[in-house]
Amino acid sequence: APLVEVAPIRRRHDAVEWLVERASLRATLRARLGEVYDLERLAGRVTLGVASPRDLAALRGSLERLPEIGHALAGVDAASPEALAPPELLNLGSDLATDVAQWIAEALVDDPPIQWREPGTPANMIRRGFHAELDELTAISEGGKGQILAIEERERERSGIASLKVRYNRVFGYYIEITRSNLARVPADYERRQTLANAERYVTPELRAYEEKVLGADERRAALEAELFEALRARVAREARRIQALAERVATIDALAALAEVAHSSGWVRPEVDDRGVIELHDARHPVVEKLVPAFVPNDVRLDPDSASLLVITGPNMAGKSTAMRQVALCVLLAQAGSFVPARRARVGVVDRIFTRVGASDNLARGDSTFMVEMRETAAILRYATRRSLVILDEIGRGTSTWDGVSIAWAVAEHIHDRVGAKTMFATHYHELTALARSRPRVRNFQVAVRETPGPRRQDGGAEGPESGGVVFLHRLVEGGADRSYGIEVARLAGLPRAVIERARTVLASLEQSDLRSSTRDAASPQLALFEAKAPPPALSPVEKEVIDRVAAADPDDLSPRQAHELLVALRALLRG
């Protein structure tokens, strides 16, 4: 949801520029913000009653960092009252919810456990000294377990059984386990509880008494811990509105600092934003692709609703048509979000929407083919786009037959130019569309430059020609329309077998010759040949006319098989002369 009004966009640019110029402050802010968790998400979990002890600990740690951020901002503001940045974007305000952080710090331990919902088992999540009764139960629970170890030592001495062990499980509680080889030395006051294959399990009155004391303390301690945590979580939940408002301010600072950081590190510039509708980018780059390629080639683009509203872009596959269009859309999107843009200079007339028809995918669940999905998206663009919109169209009409595709692409381009008026970049392999520039005043043709390399030399010294050489994609937008797509060269680069490539070149040459003969016959046509009526068929020879007349005069129902055979023989003889 980028902004669509000039004034708030410029205010964001002011804030980003202010942070770009203050590298030390920006580094401090980003370091402190890196220690802040997602406050909005944490507040939401607290409100829903699903926050864990670790969530509250994360909330506490985040709130504890905010005074440092506020102090850094307040100090710079006081030293630089002339700063252009709007104070509301770079000010946390006076309410930093430090009291909420203090509540959590007083109640919870610094590092709460992950597992805390096990019934009857203390989670050790409440800090010592927070609640007197809980501290008492903790002392009983932990001290009681130590006493059980003392019982184990005394029973070993009394019975003389060195392997005697006091164990615990949830079914039988605490018990004394003695192996069968030592059963003769079992004291008389031992009560058998369970028989195993290699041992017997016993209890004593003393062990039973301590078990009740320790286990009772554990259960009461676990219940009290849960009760105290629930009360703390409910108390924090009552302050959720404060935390949400604080989260929004922190998120604004975080976003502005991030935009300033990427603008500084990537060499982005502040765009000029206005309402005049012109988009003019000098040496524009794709913000993602430039990070992935060693030497990205920037491009200049100008879209003017009064003089150059529709750019028809032709050129080979892999030459960069889609990248050039997408980087324009991304620059506009970044600019209206308040960011600097990847370009040497940029001027952006605010658009109301960015429409794209790129990629290709079907929708099997709805029974829609790739072409149907493409047409649905194109229909939505033609229905909702306005003169203030930016439209990116990539290969409209490619999912059907050539002539159908050309017809649809031509009609869509005309409709956008004549009725919608949106600023549009239209990439296509239908080179026929370049003829639109001759009949529509705001259509401009551009192509992605390609340099052809000659093929190898023949043994007699002659050149094989460019068709056996290769192409170098220059990735540079230049004026004019392309007349070739170099699809075979791309197929060669993709690894198609050499025999297939050579056969494709032969077929292409044959088709081009056929198309040349056809275009020579229709040379007087001022528009696309495909929209003209077909030429009349040539006149029939006397023999052909006689054969047709005799066939037309014959009545199949009156002919016997013999007569039909004789007629066929006679017609065959006529055609053979």
Side-chain angles (χ1 to χ4, degrees), residues 281-313:
L281 304 173
H282 296 272
D283 287 343
R285 313 184 302 276
H286 193 292
V288 177
V289 177
E290 73 167 340
K291 302 293 185 182
L292 305 177
V293 297
F296 187 87
V297 179
N299 273 296
D300 297 345
V301 175
R302 190 177 193 277
L303 286 161
D304 188 332
D306 297 323
S307 60
S309 63
L310 195 156
L311 307 185
V312 176
I313 304 174

Side-chain angles (χ1 to χ4, degrees), residues 219-230:
E219 291 177 0
R220 291 195 303 275
R221 176 185 169 193
L224 184 55
E225 267 194 328
E227 180 183 338
L228 294 173
F229 175 74
E230 295 290 348

Side-chain angles (χ1 to χ4, degrees), residues 92 101 107 193 198 201 235 268 276 301 313 354 380 390 528:
L92 282 177
R193 175 161 289 189
N198 299 317
R201 291 176 175 176
R235 186 182 184 186
W268 293 8
R276 286 184 280 182
V301 175
I313 304 174
I354 299 175
L390 173 63
L528 294 180

